[in-house]
Each structure stands twice: as C-alpha cells, then as structure tokens.
Amino acid sequence: TQGVSSAASDVYKRQVVDKPHFLPVTPAGRYLQETLLVRLKRSLGIDTLAPMHRIDRETAGLVLFTIQPQTRNLYQTLFRERSVSKEYEAIAPLSDTLDLPTIYRSRLVESDAFMKMCEVAGEPNAETAISLLETRDTLGRYLLQPVSGQKHQLRAHMAALGIPIVNDRIYPHLYPDEGCLLYTSDAADDTPCV
C-alpha cells in the first residue's frame, strides 16, 4: 500500500501497520476512500480487517488490525480496558515552569467549538504521563503515555500545560486543516477551551 508498511502475524491473525501522518484509520466525514482501512482491504484483499484501536488522523504510528471477526472483540477489549499501554512522542516548546516528568489529569468534554475538547471542573477522566526526552533550542521531544483514551487527550493536555504540540491545527487555537507533529513509539476562536 502506498506510504503504508505492514507486517502480518499468521499465528494470532492480526496485522500491524505503520500509519503515516494525515491518513485517517477508518472512513468518516470527508475521508471515505483515502483511509488506512480501505487501502489495506484493497491491497491485501482481506475484507474482514478491523482496527483494534484508533489514532488521530494527524498522528503517525503503529495500528493493529484483527483479521478474524471471532477474535476482534477480544483484542478491542484489551484496548478498552487499558490492558495495552501506548507511547507517543511529540515536539513542543520547552517550559521553564513545568516540572517533568509529571502526571497530568483533567476532565475533558466535547467543546461547542468544532472538533475541540475542553477541560471542565469535575472528576478527571483523562490522565497522561509526560516526560522530556530531549531538548533542541526552544523545543523539546516529549514522551507521552496516556493512561486513559479520551479524544484529543494528548493534544489537549499539552496545550493546557502551555506547551502545545508544534503545528497542531486545533489546540490551542483552531486553524485550517494541516496537521501537527505527534508520533506513536495523535483562526483563533474565543472559547475557554484548551
């Protein structure tokens, strides 16, 4: 598949795929044909492929797919129950006021602003471990380890800490669609969201 690397595992009937930036995992909205799932089904000829988890369209990294429908729920349950840990790396500004490593927790909910999540008071539903791996000039390479899996969690948390991911087109401000620099190891508005 163009721009996509994959490796099959016959023993466990799963497919591991290295997803490039800016390619959605599954069809949605304006992305119906140009998705990782559709490309893989066409190139591999396996109609039963289904993702075990998702990562944002802007995020590059490994995505696992099930091949056999009878094992799909078992694998997806591992991700839902957080039995599988995930790691991401992101490029973002350095902060003089942030003590790292840290665990950041907040309550994220859908915002009135298109595509955004925002932090609100209440019991946290999102938790991220954040470490600084490397610095270069005014930027850092961060290791992000989500404990929970809320929509845009890593992007929202980094923006809330004052270190938004470089080139993020949603956080802290919504801009025309282009993309951010988030890897797995995903015009300003006046809303009070991160």
Side-chain angles (χ1 to χ4, degrees):
T1 301
Q2 181 183 0
V4 176
S5 300
S6 69
S9 174
D10 290 331
V11 176
Y12 298 105
K13 300 297 182 192
R14 62 185 178 213
Q15 186 78 26
V16 180
V17 181
D18 189 6
K19 184 188 93 60
H21 288 285
F22 316 116
L23 183 66
V25 174
T26 57
R30 67 181 183 190
Y31 300 96
L32 298 177
Q33 296 300 313
E34 281 303 308
T35 68
L36 186 59
L37 180 60
V38 171
R39 283 185 181 186
L40 284 173
K41 283 183 173 184
R42 285 184 183 151
S43 69
L44 300 175
I46 303 172
D47 288 334
T48 57
L49 279 176
M52 293 183 205
H53 62 99
R54 65 164 195 85
I55 56 177
D56 289 342
R57 183 175 58 87
E58 296 84 359
T59 304
L62 299 179
V63 179
L64 284 74
F65 288 83
T66 62
I67 295 173
Q68 298 176 323
Q70 63 270 26
T71 64
R72 182 167 301 140
N73 188 52
L74 296 172
Y75 283 117
Q76 290 173 339
T77 298
L78 292 173
F79 284 90
R80 268 193 312 275
E81 294 178 352
R82 297 181 183 96
S83 298
V84 176
S85 62
K86 295 191 250 180
E87 292 186 350
Y88 299 79
E89 291 184 8
I91 305 299
L94 295 171
S95 171
D96 294 336
T97 60
L98 189 60
D99 282 333
L100 295 173
T102 191
I103 304 279
Y104 188 77
R105 295 175 185 92
S106 71
R107 180 159 195 79
L108 292 175
V109 298
E110 293 273 345
S111 163
D112 291 335
F114 177 72
M115 286 291 295
K116 288 182 83 170
M117 300 294 283
C118 63
E119 291 187 327
V120 296
E123 183 74 24
N125 63 356
E127 179 177 325
T128 305
I130 302 169
S131 304
L132 181 61
L133 297 174
E134 173 184 6
T135 64
R136 187 169 296 163
D137 299 320
T138 61
L139 297 176
R141 183 169 61 98
Y142 295 86
L143 175 64
L144 310 177
Q145 298 170 294
V147 176
S148 50
Q150 296 297 317
K151 176 181 173 183
H152 294 178
Q153 175 179 321
L154 302 178
R155 299 159 72 183
H157 278 176
M158 293 294 280
L161 290 168
I163 51 173
I165 296 171
V166 170
N167 293 333
D168 191 330
R169 307 306 290 175
I170 299 176
Y171 300 92
H173 304 292
L174 185 60
Y175 293 99
D177 189 16
E178 288 185 24
C180 63
L181 298 178
L182 181 63
Y183 303 86
T184 60
S185 306
D186 280 187
D189 61 299
D190 295 321
T191 63
C193 298
V194 293

